Amino acid sequence: MVKKLRGKKGSAKKAGKSKKIRGVVEKAISKTVRKPVKAPKRPKKVEKVAVERKKVKETRGFLEKIGDKFKGKIVGEIEIEKYDPSKHGPIAVFKEVEGYKEVERYWVNEPYAFVTVLYNDKTNEYLYNVVEPALTPFEKELIEELHKRLQDVLILEGAGKTADRETILVGEVRELVRDYVGGITPVTFAKLMYYIKRNYLELGRINPLMNDPFIEDVSCNGPNAPVFLYHKNYENIETNITFDEEELNAFVIKLAQECGKHISIADPMIDATMKDGSRIQMTLGREVTTKGSTFTIRKFQEIPITPIDLINWNTFSSEIMSYFWLCIENNKSLIFAGGTASGKTSSLNAVCLFIPPKSKIVTLEDTRELKLPHPNWIAEVTRESFTGEETGEIDMYELLRAALRQRPEYLLVGEVRGKEALVLFQAMSTGHTTFSTMHADSVPSVIYRLENEPINVPRTMLQALDIVCVQIQTYIGEKRVRRADKIAEITDIDPTTKKIRTTDIFVWNPVTDVFERAGDSLVLDEIKQRRGWTQKELQQELKNRQTVLEYLVKKGIKDHRDITKIIQAYYINPEEVLKKVASKAL
């Protein structure tokens, strides 16, 4: 049948047409099969991973190259042993400086960094010499390359992780070293980690200075000049730390970012508070400081200064401190005055330990310096505007107005220097107990500054202030010290001259370095009348508090928490505290 169909003329035409169609279809199919299929677009994350893999390969090649170059340093693919100074030897070694002899040595980050204080007989100068681990050429190249790679790796690997920054950083460094070097000596790895942590997580080259408890101020005056600092034992002293111009500019920008601020050529000068509470002032470039970028850090004491510290340093006597204790407990207002670095804020912070434990306290500052142990405490700071105008700015005046609505029992203002002082004295006049500081070198200059521009407090309002303490920075022999020069009380206005009358209560004698009682206290008389005490009871109360303070000094109790507990215990049960002091069981 098939043969018959093929033999017919119409069937042949159909067969030819079918063959032609089949050919067209086959050609179309072949074209479709051979046509390349367009790959889907790679997501950006995949592209980043690919870029990182390429960088990792480059890193592997570099590290293999320097590994071959420094044979003998590589110890194989093993776990990196923990550095042990007793087993592996010291990691930081001091090399003598020509012309200087060593005076003192102490650790600031054991066992990685220490300080040697050196003295030059010819120039009669001291040098503050920071000693950190010395790096071999291999270690320098390795650290530089790790710094480059870590910036990208940490962004990729660290994003979204909840672990702390140090854990992520250490893990990434270990992985890079183990994978691409194959292992290094414990000493080399300890050096790597010290410098990487110092530069990524801490304050870089000035970190040893910030770890030194004897340093009060750190000052960099420009590029290619030594960093200076104020040391408690050696005063102003030069260091062996310098920055070149490019490095200093980058460092100042980094410091500003660490403080949550922005600094630029358009806005080249800022004040800020560092994470540890230290105050810093910075300038960028040569716009306002012709030598180049600068920074000055006033270090924050993590451990608050206590009344016992001030007695030990002879800044105040135990008698003066017992006087402050009784006055503060009975809501008397005071101002600490003095020059720069005379210890005003430190003294204010110390006497605040005498505030009764449950009192409502509000502190107002430009930068956070006050640190109190009281639980019922609100700490407020001013804020600069977000723009070049005053939009969003919250100054001390606004803070003070808001604080008065919070019904504080004790109101602490970091420093009075403007229109906020008027509100502060209004608060005093309405019964709020206020403490503050100001720049002035005597009691008359305190009154003069308060009465005149830009503060302008009316003379009648000044009577609301009870006590003025003037502090100075001076010398005892060759040693620079801080002393309470005078404690005076504001009494009244002279009806004849219309001037403010004051009474000196305690005066410091510079010849004997002793605090002398100078006059009778009107403030103590007011406390005596309010409490219904006799003169004998008042004197006994002062003596009891002085006894407790002298006991703490004698026993060497310096921890602010222990001192706070004892002061608070005295408020609750003074007889029990005095009994324990008498039996030496406290």
Side-chain angles (χ1 to χ4, degrees):
M1 189 178 178
V2 175
K3 285 179 182 181
K4 284 180 180 178
L5 286 172
R6 283 179 180 175
K8 291 181 180 179
K9 194 175 180 179
S11 297
K13 281 183 180 181
K14 285 182 182 178
K17 203 179 270 188
S18 297
K19 191 174 180 181
K20 191 175 181 180
I21 291 169
R22 193 183 299 118
V24 172
V25 172
E26 285 176 355
K27 191 175 180 181
I29 291 170
S30 66
K31 279 185 178 180
T32 306
V33 171
R34 283 195 298 269
K35 189 176 181 180
V37 179
K38 190 175 181 181
K41 193 174 181 181
R42 301 174 81 189
K44 288 184 178 180
K45 191 172 181 181
V46 175
E47 288 178 0
K48 284 185 179 179
V49 172
V51 170
E52 279 307 312
R53 284 176 180 166
K54 184 180 178 183
K55 288 182 178 180
V56 164
K57 285 179 182 178
E58 291 173 4
T59 307
R60 183 187 288 116
F62 169 81
L63 294 174
E64 283 173 356
K65 184 176 74 176
I66 63 171
D68 293 336
K69 186 177 177 182
F70 295 94
K71 282 183 180 178
K73 303 287 182 184
I74 311 302
V75 296
E77 293 190 15
I78 58 171
E79 280 294 320
I80 302 167
E81 185 182 355
K82 188 177 180 181
Y83 167 69
D84 182 357
S86 60
K87 181 179 178 182
H88 303 109
I91 198 170
V93 180
F94 169 61
K95 293 182 180 179
E96 291 186 2
V97 179
E98 188 177 350
Y100 287 87
K101 63 179 181 180
E102 187 176 340
V103 176
E104 186 179 1
R105 178 185 297 200
Y106 56 89
W107 289 104
V108 289
N109 185 3
E110 192 173 2
Y112 303 104
F114 63 88
V115 168
T116 58
V117 180
L118 309 176
Y119 180 71
N120 189 318
D121 292 317
K122 294 180 180 179
T123 60
N124 195 30
E125 292 180 341
Y126 287 97
L127 175 66
Y128 183 95
N129 188 62
V130 177
V131 181
E132 296 180 288
L135 296 172
T136 65
F138 163 71
E139 291 163 348
K140 285 179 182 177
E141 285 192 64
L142 184 54
I143 283 180
E144 286 175 9
E145 192 63 25
L146 286 173
H147 271 303
K148 291 176 187 176
R149 300 308 176 199
L150 277 170
Q151 292 175 13
D152 297 319
V153 172
L154 286 174
I155 292 171
L156 186 70
E157 299 292 336
K161 290 190 178 180
T162 56
D164 64 285
R165 295 171 64 197
E166 184 174 345
T167 302
I168 294 172
L169 185 65
V170 173
E172 293 298 339
V173 172
R174 280 184 172 274
E175 190 175 333
L176 280 172
V177 170
R178 191 180 293 118
D179 288 351
Y180 309 124
V181 179
I184 52 179
T185 63
V187 172
T188 297
F189 186 73
K191 290 179 183 180
L192 294 180
M193 288 314 308
Y194 169 74
Y195 282 107
I196 287 172
K197 283 182 185 178
R198 189 198 73 171
N199 296 337
Y200 273 92
L201 305 178
E202 296 167 342
L203 292 172
R205 298 180 61 192
I206 67 166
N207 202 60
L209 309 182
M210 300 303 290
N211 288 335
D212 189 342
F214 295 104
I215 292 177
E216 295 183 8
D217 301 305
V218 179
S219 178
C220 177
N221 304 318
N224 304 312
V227 172
F228 277 81
L229 49 86
Y230 185 86
H231 195 284
K232 289 180 181 177
N233 298 331
Y234 303 97
E235 300 175 10
N236 292 302
I237 185 171
E238 181 181 318
T239 73
N240 63 332
I241 299 173
T242 58
F243 293 88
D244 62 41
E245 188 161 9
E246 187 178 343
E247 182 185 16
L248 182 57
N249 290 341
F251 186 66
V252 166
I253 292 170
K254 179 187 174 184
L255 284 176
Q257 290 172 344
E258 289 281 342
C259 299
K261 298 273 187 173
H262 172 72
I263 190 168
S264 64
I265 298 302
D267 189 12
M269 184 168 63
I270 62 167
D271 296 306
T273 303
M274 302 175 75
K275 289 181 180 178
D276 67 347
S278 299
R279 292 166 60 182
I280 183 168
Q281 195 280 332
M282 293 173 275
T283 64
L284 180 64
R286 299 174 183 268
E287 303 301 311
V288 290
T289 44
T290 55
K291 291 182 180 179
S293 300
T294 67
F295 63 85
T296 302
I297 300 171
R298 294 192 66 181
K299 283 184 63 181
F300 173 75
Q301 296 290 336
E302 189 173 349
I303 300 172
I305 292 173
T306 68
I308 306 306
D309 292 323
L310 297 178
I311 296 171
N312 281 324
W313 300 334
N314 203 32
T315 304
F316 295 89
S317 67
S318 58
E319 185 182 5
I320 295 174
M321 275 299 163
S322 66
Y323 165 82
F324 278 140
W325 188 349
L326 189 60
C327 291
I328 289 170
E329 180 188 341
N330 287 276
N331 302 100
K332 298 301 178 182
S333 297
L334 60 93
I335 283 180
F336 287 93
T340 302
S342 59
K344 306 181 294 295
T345 306
S346 296
S347 296
L348 174 59
N349 206 120
V351 301
C352 285
L353 293 185
F354 295 138
I355 296 175
K358 302 297 182 183
S359 301
K360 174 78 175 282
I361 305 169
V362 178
T363 60
L364 315 174
E365 300 173 88
D366 287 323
T367 53
R368 275 287 308 278
E369 288 185 282
L370 298 174
K371 190 174 182 180
L372 309 180
H374 299 72
N376 194 10
W377 166 40
I378 298 174
E380 299 181 2
V381 292
T382 58
R383 188 184 73 179
E384 295 178 358
S385 64
F386 297 114
T387 63
E389 302 173 358
E390 294 184 359
T391 307
E393 180 182 1
I394 300 175
D395 60 13
M396 193 70 79
Y397 179 72
E398 292 297 326
L399 283 181
L400 192 51
R401 285 178 56 195
L404 293 176
R405 300 188 189 103
Q406 297 166 358
R407 297 183 64 189
E409 294 175 73
Y410 291 84
L411 188 61
L412 279 61
V413 179
E415 183 179 348
V416 290
R417 51 176 174 262
K419 62 181 181 179
E420 72 277 355
L422 182 58
V423 181
L424 184 71
F425 275 84
Q426 286 175 338
M428 285 187 202
S429 302
T430 54
H432 293 84
T433 306
T434 64
F435 306 154
S436 188
T437 69
M438 68 181 298
H439 281 83
D441 57 3
S442 65
V443 176
S445 66
V446 169
I447 295 170
Y448 180 82
R449 280 205 65 201
L450 289 172
E451 285 189 315
N452 293 280
E453 291 286 348
I455 298 176
N456 291 326
V457 175
R459 185 166 294 182
T460 52
M461 275 192 179
L462 289 179
Q463 295 179 89
L465 176 62
D466 297 300
I467 303 164
V468 176
C469 175
V470 179
Q471 291 192 219
I472 58 172
Q473 189 172 166
T474 185
Y475 283 90
I476 300 294
E478 295 183 357
K479 187 179 180 182
R480 188 182 291 190
V481 296
R482 294 180 175 95
R483 293 289 183 266
D485 188 47
K486 188 177 290 185
I487 289 91
E489 293 179 358
I490 307 292
T491 53
D492 57 10
I493 298 176
D494 191 302
T496 306
T497 63
K498 304 299 180 183
K499 291 184 178 180
I500 293 288
R501 290 196 295 202
T502 63
T503 302
D504 294 342
I505 308 301
F506 297 96
V507 176
W508 176 64
N509 187 334
V511 177
T512 59
D513 192 21
V514 171
F515 298 94
E516 299 172 350
R517 187 70 181 258
D520 295 328
S521 170
L522 180 63
V523 169
L524 291 179
D525 285 342
E526 290 175 358
I527 293 171
K528 180 184 69 175
Q529 291 174 9
R530 187 190 302 175
R531 302 288 288 266
W533 291 338
T534 63
Q535 183 64 28
K536 185 178 179 180
E537 287 173 326
L538 173 67
Q539 294 302 322
Q540 186 61 49
E541 192 62 41
L542 286 167
K543 186 178 178 181
N544 289 345
R545 293 161 195 260
Q546 187 175 347
T547 301
V548 172
L549 293 170
E550 288 177 352
Y551 175 84
L552 295 175
V553 171
K554 187 177 179 180
K555 283 292 183 180
I557 299 173
K558 297 180 180 179
D559 190 283
H560 68 282
R561 288 164 294 193
D562 295 333
I563 294 168
T564 302
K565 286 178 184 177
I566 293 166
I567 291 172
Q568 292 180 353
Y570 186 89
Y571 279 119
I572 297 167
N573 194 337
E575 292 80 10
E576 185 67 24
V577 172
L578 290 169
K579 191 185 296 183
K580 288 183 178 180
V581 166
S583 63
K584 299 181 180 180
L586 189 63

